[in-house]
Amino acid sequence: GALTDTARGRLTLLKNTRDGVYSDMLTGDKYQDEETFAGRGTLAIDLSDKLYLELRGDYNNDGGTGYISRRGGYTQDYIDAGVALPTDDYDIALNYKPKTDVEVWGVSSTLTWEGGDFTIKSITSYRESDFDQKIDADATEFTVFNINFLEKSESFTQEFQFSNTVPDDLEWITGLFYLNEEGSGGIDLLFENQAIEITEENVTEAYAAFGQMTYKVSDRFRATFGLRYSYESKDYGFTTDINGDQVDAGTPDDNWSAWTPRFALDYDLS
């Protein structure tokens, strides 16, 4: 809604909670609960009669124990070891408390200058995400197989667009694009007498230049031609440790480039 004569805004918030549905037979803990909080906001400002700014932001957090592992049955060796056997569909016994925590947020802006003949637009964005999960993979109160999973990423993009404001027979747009993304994470495979830890890092950079024009041949017939040049590079690194000793590692990297044309004919039947 309107905030002033030159500013408009919108804000949406969401909160959701849910109790756990599975009960730990040994501790009484509840599993598969959920707690979510999310929000999204937009602010649009008329800086002048030709210059406009739009700011956007969003946030989302999902927490709780998440979806748990469930066994379809128990082999004789588990029964002989005295595993806790469920008495109904919602009984479970775990030695490794599950967890799922996902946090994602981002901000972006669009700055537009609209002249009589040309329009210039700048689109900027930044996003972060974090993912943290713990799983009792054997789904028993014994230490047999547990998993930790972590992932984090950050990305920044910038795009500039230059186009004609009021197309007549020829509509065109050209621009530049840039992306930088950094990600890291890993997985821990935890057994009774062995721990395998795999960590990863990745950096991606991408550049692009593009242009496209559409010519109005008639009221029903249009011809479009576009061309894009893209370049992307990736730097990747990983390590693998077993019980604290490194057994493998690497830092591969590569890059790609391509020219991508586009040609289209459009005809309106009616």
Side-chain angles (χ1 to χ4, degrees):
L3 302 176
T4 68
D5 292 340
T6 59
R8 301 162 299 282
R10 175 181 295 177
L11 179 64
T12 304
L13 298 175
L14 168 70
K15 183 174 177 61
N16 180 50
T17 59
R18 185 187 69 191
D19 293 335
V21 296
Y22 292 99
S23 297
D24 193 305
M25 297 177 287
L26 304 180
T27 66
D29 291 339
K30 292 288 188 177
Y31 299 130
Q32 204 162 303
D33 59 310
E34 182 180 313
E35 184 168 352
T36 300
F37 176 76
R40 180 184 296 272
T42 303
L43 177 64
I45 306 173
D46 300 332
L47 300 176
S48 71
D49 60 345
K50 295 183 177 181
L51 189 61
Y52 317 101
L53 176 64
E54 184 173 343
L55 303 173
R56 298 170 294 273
D58 63 90
Y59 176 84
N60 187 86
N61 181 260
D62 291 315
T65 57
Y67 289 94
I68 61 173
S69 299
R70 293 276 294 160
R71 297 187 67 91
Y74 297 86
T75 56
Q76 190 61 44
D77 54 341
Y78 278 101
I79 296 175
D80 293 342
V83 68
L85 297 174
T87 58
D88 63 44
D89 291 340
Y90 297 99
D91 281 346
I92 197 167
L94 304 177
N95 76 301
Y96 199 64
K97 187 171 183 177
K99 170 187 176 182
T100 298
D101 189 5
V102 183
E103 184 179 41
V104 181
W105 66 273
V107 291
S108 64
S109 68
T110 301
L111 181 64
T112 305
W113 180 84
E114 191 173 289
D117 297 321
F118 308 111
T119 296
I120 301 173
K121 185 177 293 187
S122 171
I123 306 170
T124 308
S125 70
Y126 178 82
R127 296 196 68 79
E128 282 193 13
S129 66
D130 287 276
F131 182 77
D132 183 3
Q133 186 176 41
K134 300 181 184 299
I135 303 171
D136 189 328
D138 60 90
T140 70
E141 71 271 29
F142 303 140
T143 302
V144 180
F145 182 27
N146 300 318
I147 301 174
N148 296 333
F149 184 74
L150 297 170
E151 185 179 80
K152 180 177 182 179
S153 69
E154 303 174 5
S155 65
F156 170 80
T157 63
Q158 175 64 54
E159 182 173 343
F160 295 105
Q161 298 178 358
F162 185 46
S163 61
N164 53 344
T165 301
V166 184
D168 292 322
D169 292 336
L170 182 65
E171 179 181 0
W172 56 265
I173 184 172
T174 185
L176 300 170
F177 176 79
Y178 171 74
L179 162 73
N180 178 272
E181 184 176 48
E182 298 183 8
S184 61
I187 185 170
D188 299 333
L189 307 176
L190 308 176
F191 303 94
E192 183 176 5
N193 298 310
Q194 187 181 68
I196 302 174
E197 180 183 3
I198 303 171
T199 61
E200 299 175 309
E201 292 185 350
N202 181 66
V203 177
T204 300
E205 272 198 308
Y207 307 84
F210 59 89
Q212 179 172 296
M213 60 180 64
T214 298
Y215 180 67
K216 185 179 179 182
V217 181
S218 68
D219 289 340
R220 292 187 176 184
F221 186 42
R222 296 174 302 279
T224 298
F225 175 75
L227 184 64
R228 180 185 180 97
Y229 173 77
S230 304
Y231 172 84
E232 182 174 323
S233 66
K234 285 186 179 289
D235 295 298
Y236 176 72
F238 72 93
T239 61
T240 302
D241 295 353
I242 297 180
N243 292 339
D245 297 324
Q246 188 177 107
V247 297
D248 196 12
T251 55
D253 61 84
D254 206 345
N255 61 79
W256 308 264
S257 63
W259 290 94
T260 309
R262 179 177 185 269
F263 182 70
L265 297 174
D266 297 289
Y267 182 78
D268 298 330
L269 295 177
S270 59

